[in-house]
Structures are given as structure tokens and as C-alpha cells.
Amino acid sequence: MPISESMVQDIVQEVMAKMQIADAPTGKHGVFKEMNDAIEAAKKSELIVKKMSMDQREKIITCIRKKIKENAEVMARMGVDETGMGNVGDKILKHHLVADKTPGTEDITTTAWSGDRGLTLIEMGPFGVIGAITPCTNPSETVLCNTIGMLAGGNTVVFNPHPAAIKTSIFAINLVNEASLEAGGPDNIAVTVEHPTLETSNIMMKHKDIPLIAATGGPGVVTAVLSSGKRGIGAGAGNPPAVVDETADIRKAAQDIVNGCTFDNNLPCIAEKEVVAVSSVVDELMHYMLTENDCYLASKEEQDKLTEVVLAGGKLNRKCVGRDARTLLSMIGVNAPANIRCIIFEGPKEHPLITTELMMPILGIVRAKDFDDAVEQAVWLEHGNRHSAHIHSKNVDNITKYAKAIDTAILVKNGPSYSALGFGGEGYCTFTIASRTGEGLTSASTFTKRRRCVMSDSLCIR
Ligand code: NAD
């Protein structure tokens, strides 16, 4: 095959980016051999943070935001290189989203009652040192987003990142500490260990200086945290269905669903994992997906082969998670055209590629006989995670019915899933969606204690 100019440019860009990674700061602020030492360091820095003004906290956060933007591409490439998951372009966007839209100290507010009997305030105070467990699917994004929110709330944080993404997580932890030092704050506002394991995680969960643990990951880690005897924020797994009814703009729905499903190769927990469409629109929806949105229609035989590879031995094959559609097709011997972004097929809700949270751009489409049937099947497919769901409809009664039945932390109407993160939608960003414990999209205020401060019979000057 002749090498075109654009191919040469791509190769040069890739090599340059790899060199950039090699040249990136290799400092290891906040990185310890032992978990107990890491916690001790975070405790010391917490005592300093506690005495800081809100203004000083905000200065550090501003510096973190700046450094995230400067290093967005480095972290994106590092994440893809280290985990083999996702794609660089979308990961760059995710880092900018964290920098631009993660709430800072403005999220820490006071509620007041003032009257004849005095003045009462509810203030949001820090927990102290928070333990945070982070996933390999959004490694640096979660570390950075958690640190901004936790620090804004007046806390410091000990991370036990996913071992498969430790290099990227350490890079992000180093970055926030460098930002703190540059802005006049302490080192070790965020810390971790060189080699996180289940054992270091247990030490953290049981440590007397850790009053709150935030777990972002699959069902295992959330259950472990909720069994720890400590207060836990559980941001667990999802399997978000996108429902399409006959009132939807079908052409737009096809585009939104494929865009959401393929973002960062379907790694975000909020991304469309399957579609449930009323029978009368299924063919039209698939037509637009295939003709205008770069989808590949998998035959029955190809679906079976994909199932064998993706769910080898009945277990999710980690080598397939976060891979792009063409790579997945190449694993079953299909050489797909260069533009292919998503693999689609029609199947029953029980199909293993539909019922399992795959985190890759394979999108099964389930046919429903009417809207009530679509809601019933979607609720079944969400598996009671109460995480995220999506709908394309112009019928407010249908939307309301679905919202009540599925009862998820996120419900996007008539848009791609990522608009729930403030990307092409209103609202702030987070990479920790506390689906299981009900806090929903976490932000600085989630990481604070409510304190009632009462002045009896005075300070009311009305
Ligand atoms: P994972 O569950 O394999 O790992 C997540 C983290 O938990 C890692 O740091 C891992 O080392 C740790 N861990 C796993 N089991 C543990 C246990 N028993 N005790 C202590 N720590 C444990 O998940 P992953 O593959 O890294 O990420 C993908 C999963 O996370 C998906 O299910 C996805 O939906 C979910 N997720 C949820 C959110 C959210 O905000 N709700 C965000 C991102 C990912």
C-alpha cells in the first residue's frame, strides 16, 4: 500500500507525542511506597488546607485547571498507551471538560435562617482526608476531578488507583501537587502508593484517619467500600439503555446515539450501551445509523463470533474493553472500512452482547412492540443500577413515564449521553456518579459535612 502524505503526518504526530510523553515531567509528588506513609502525608497537608482561606483553595484549583489544559494531550496519550483503551482525541476533550466544568469552591454554600429567635446557618465543612478508589476507564480524569472537588471542600485525598492505570494516575497526582506548590499551597494534597493493590486499598479503608471513601468503579469495589464500616460514596456500574419512540426525530436520534456510544470507544459509564426502539421506527433508525453514521451491521454469524471473543468463557474480555469498532471486527477476521465507528445488530434483550455492560462500541438494538414494552425492557436492561438512561422522544408523557420507571441518576432526553457531563449540555462535569448511594453527580459539596451553627436570640437585625 503506498504511503500517503496524511499517513506520514499521522506517524510523525504519533512519534512527536510519544517523545512528549518521554519529556513530560517525571516528578513524583504525592507518591509513596507504603499506604500508611501516604495517609500520614495527606493528614499533614490536610491540617494546612484546613487553615487556608477559600480564596487560597481556589487559587490552587485555578492552577490545577491550567496545568490540566497544558497536559491534556500528554495525559490522553498516556492513558491510551498504558491501558490500551479509549482514543486520544476524546480523552483530550474529557480532560478539558474536567478543567473547565468541575465545580470549585463556588459549590460550597451556606444556608441561613434568620428570625426572632436568632440566626442559624448550615455550613459545609471538610471531612478531612478522603480515600478515593478510581477506575482504569477514566484514570487521570477521575483523579483530577475528584481532587478539585475534594480540595474545594477543604479535604485532601488518598488515591488507590486501578493498577492497570497507575502511571497515568501518578502523573495526574503529581500534577495537582505541583499546582498546589506553585500556588503557595502544601505538597501532598493528593497522594497514592507506587503499587496499589487490594491490600493497600484495605489499609486505606480501615485507617482511622479516613472518615469517608469515594469508590468509582464496578460493583465489586462499591460493595467492598459499603461494607467497610465507613461512610461510602458508591459510584458503580451502569448499562444505560437509549429508548426511541415513534415521536422522536429518528435521523437525529441515530446520530446522537452513535456519537454518545462511540465517545472514547464507549468507556464512559454513562454512554449508550444498547437501544430499545418501538417496532415502527427500528428499521428507519438502523438505516440512518448505517447510511449516515458509519455503523457496521453484524450478521448473526459475526455476532456469535463477537460473543465468543468479547465474552470469552462467559467473562468480559478486558482486551476488548475500550477498543474501537474496527479493532473489534479485526478480532473476528473482518476487515472493515476505515470510517467504521460502531457495530450494530438487532437482537433480543437477553442477547449477551446486549445485557452485559461491554464498554466498547457494540450497540445491540432491541425491538419493542409499543412504548410500554420499551420501558419494561429498558428497565430490565439497566439491571437496577439506577445509573444512567437516555430517551429520544417528543412526547412528554412518555418521557415522564420512562423517567419514573427507570429511576436513574442521569436521564438524557434527545441528545448524546455525554451532554449529561456538561459536554454539549448544561450543567457541571463529574467523573464520579454516585449511582448506588444516591448523591448522583458528585461535586465539591458532596465531599463535605453539613454543620448547623446556631446563634440564639441575636444577630437577627431585620
Ligand atoms: P473495576 O471495578 O475493575 O475497578 C475500579 C477500581 O476498584 C480499581 O481501582 C480497582 O483496583 C478497584 N477494585 C476492584 N475491586 C475491588 C475490591 N474488591 N476492593 C477494593 N478495590 C477494588 O472497574 P474499571 O474496569 O476500572 O472501571 C469500569 C467500571 O467502573 C464499569 O463498571 C463502569 O460502569 C464503572 N464506572 C462507574 C463510574 C461512575 O461514576 N458511576 C465511573 C467510571 C466507571
Side-chain angles (χ1 to χ4, degrees), residues 85 132-138 142 160-165 196-199 201-202 205 215-225 234-240 267-270 273 316 318 321 357 359 385 387-388 430-436 440-442:
M85 299 191 289
I133 302 175
T134 49
C136 56
T137 46
N138 318 304
T142 311
N160 202 70
H162 197 295
T197 58
L198 284 184
E199 200 187 326
S201 173
N202 274 330
M205 284 197 235
T216 311
V221 64
V222 174
T223 301
V225 163
N239 192 37
L267 284 179
C269 51
I270 59 160
K273 299 286 189 284
L316 183 60
R318 284 276 165 180
V321 174
E357 184 200 27
M359 294 177 283
N385 291 320
H387 191 299
S388 297
T430 184
F431 278 87
T432 294
I433 297 142
S435 40
R436 272 206 29 208
L441 284 85
T442 59

Side-chain angles (χ1 to χ4, degrees), residues 14 26 43 58 64 105 115 133 152 168 171 188 199 201 218 228 233 244 273 339 350 370-371 379 382 395 411 457:
E14 200 173 320
T26 50
K43 183 74 197 163
E58 194 53 39
I64 295 176
T105 53
I133 302 175
T168 314
F171 187 95
N188 300 322
E199 200 187 326
S201 173
S228 69
I233 295 175
V244 186
K273 299 286 189 284
N339 63 320
E350 295 81 7
D370 53 29
F371 185 73
V379 168
E382 213 274 324
N395 180 331
L411 178 63
D457 290 329

